[in-house]
């Protein structure tokens, strides 16, 4: 018995296909990111400068918490924070370049999956979702059963969870001192 025909006879074959394709897509996207980002010297230097600045800032803040803070110490902390923000912004811009290629891959895979599983229920949810979640989980499906789950919702959940865990496993997760994305939260000190 061949593997595809065995998979087709399983009760959860569509769900397993979507999860498998999501895993493969995450691996391909991380491979693309490695080629375009993670193996380059500029990424490595940016990452090390962010790590150093984050450690320095952390030690400066713990030292300043123990003793009375002087103005010169506060200025040094502000300079290190500014340096950390600039390095994080540079890292985000550097990652943005490969993000377009990864987005293209994800767009093609999503289109392929959409054509394969159009109007098909690929999973059953163990709960009745509320309004917004129900619109996402029931997207493109006929019928009134709120526990039906479309390919788009399952693929979305799998992609988010698998890719972030894969990044952590491979050591590609953002440095701990890095801000999230190109548009970090505003600094409360400046407002």
């Amino acid at each position: 018995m061949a593997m595809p025909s065995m998979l087709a006879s399983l009760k959860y074959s569509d769900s397993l296909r979507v999860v498998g394709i999501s895993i493969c897509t995450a691996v391909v996207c991380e491979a693309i990111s490695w080629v375009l980002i993670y193996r380059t010297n500029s990424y490595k230097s940016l990452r090390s400068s962010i790590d150093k600045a984050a450690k320095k800032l952390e030690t400066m803040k713990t030292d300043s918490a123990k003793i009375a803070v002087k103005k010169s110490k506060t200025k040094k902390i502000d300079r290190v924070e500014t340096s950390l923000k600039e390095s994080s912004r540079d890292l985000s811009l550097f990652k943005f370049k490969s993000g377009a290629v990864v987005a293209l891959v994800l767009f093609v895979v999503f289109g392929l999956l959409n054509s394969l599983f159009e109007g098909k229920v690929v999973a059953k949810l163990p709960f009745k979702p509320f309004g917004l979640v129900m619109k996402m989980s029931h997207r493109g499906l006929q019928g009134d059963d709120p526990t039906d789950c479309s390919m788009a919702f399952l693929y979305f959940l799998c992609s988010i969870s698998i890719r972030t865990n894969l990044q952590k496993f491979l050591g590609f997760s953002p440095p701990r001192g890095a801000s999230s994305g190109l548009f970090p939260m505003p600094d409360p000190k400046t407002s």
Side-chain angles (χ1 to χ4, degrees), residues 3 10 14 22 30 43 47 49 57 62 68 76 86 91 122 143-146 149 151 159 167 172 183:
M3 186 60 133
L10 290 174
D14 289 341
S22 180
E30 288 309 307
Y43 170 79
R47 182 162 178 135
S49 69
L57 183 63
T62 55
K76 285 182 183 179
E86 288 173 1
L91 184 66
V122 295
D144 295 330
D145 187 1
C149 180
M151 175 283 307
S159 293
Q167 285 176 340
F172 297 156
F183 307 106

Side-chain angles (χ1 to χ4, degrees), residues 113-135:
L113 283 174
N114 217 10
S115 66
L116 288 174
F117 296 104
E118 187 176 355
K120 269 184 155 181
V121 176
V122 295
K124 284 283 196 181
L125 298 175
F127 59 91
K128 182 180 175 187
F130 59 90
L132 179 65
V133 176
M134 184 171 164
K135 287 180 182 178

Side-chain angles (χ1 to χ4, degrees), residues 75-150:
K75 287 182 181 180
K76 285 182 183 179
I77 290 174
D78 287 343
R79 268 188 271 143
V80 173
E81 283 179 343
T82 304
S83 168
L84 184 61
K85 286 178 186 175
E86 288 173 1
S87 296
S88 296
R89 182 182 48 85
D90 292 343
L91 184 66
S92 295
L93 286 171
F94 191 69
K95 284 183 167 185
F96 188 72
K97 295 171 186 172
S98 81
V101 176
V102 169
L104 180 68
V105 169
L106 292 173
F107 186 71
V108 168
V109 169
F110 186 79
L112 175 75
L113 283 174
N114 217 10
S115 66
L116 288 174
F117 296 104
E118 187 176 355
K120 269 184 155 181
V121 176
V122 295
K124 284 283 196 181
L125 298 175
F127 59 91
K128 182 180 175 187
F130 59 90
L132 179 65
V133 176
M134 184 171 164
K135 287 180 182 178
M136 291 188 315
S137 68
H138 211 265
R139 181 183 170 268
L141 297 178
Q142 300 295 320
D144 295 330
D145 187 1
T147 61
D148 287 348
C149 180
S150 68

